[in-house]
Amino acid sequence: MVGLDEIKTSLDSNPYLTNDIKDSFMELISLFNSKFQDVNLATLNERIKTLKVIRGSKYLIKNSSNYDPVSNEILISMTKITDDIDCKHILMRELLNIITAKDNYTGFNKDRAFEALNIGYTEILANYLVGNLYESEYEDEIIATNMIAEIIGKDTLYNAYFNNDASLIMSTVC
């Protein structure tokens, strides 16, 4: 398992992030690690070395932010970042996407088959970890995910999400 010291070294080596962003990420990574000690952070450790945070146009980004696992970039829509957005929550949400990134998807959203469920579960985890001072951009997805979690089980969602394995969800409902 990758330790926080190793992640800090990788984060410090990233030439694309400011010290403020690095400090914010390290705070959130430490918080995540304290709550989810069983989650392997090897993917995060590799991706954090070259991660970029880029301002994006509202035409490229549907909501306030988006993580692209192919380019390893967090796109932030500055026009959507308003006084009604919790930036700490957004960073945690995107950090969760980085932690669960695999190939061209995050969590259990391979081939975008479970996109809404993946978004909802990511939001639920971000809310658990740092809360959200305002209403989420993804309230409908959160509600649907909570209902589905009652049917298939919270452990199934957890394992599918952190192991990038959508088949766990399908095997429960089929």
Side-chain angles (χ1 to χ4, degrees), residues 52-58 60-61 74-79:
K52 294 180 182 175
V53 178
I54 298 173
R55 288 182 182 204
S57 158
K58 66 182 177 183
L60 293 175
I61 306 168
I74 296 174
L75 303 171
I76 304 284
S77 174
M78 297 312 288
T79 56

Side-chain angles (χ1 to χ4, degrees), residues 115-125 138 141-142 145:
E115 185 170 10
L117 186 63
N118 197 74
I119 288 169
Y121 195 65
T122 303
E123 278 291 295
I124 289 168
L125 290 175
Y138 301 107
E141 289 85 348
I142 291 170
T145 300

Side-chain angles (χ1 to χ4, degrees), residues 64 80-87 90 132 134-135 137:
S64 59
K80 303 246 178 160
I81 300 290
T82 65
D83 292 337
D84 295 337
I85 296 288
D86 185 343
C87 291
I90 289 172
N132 193 347
Y134 305 99
E135 185 174 326
E137 301 170 88

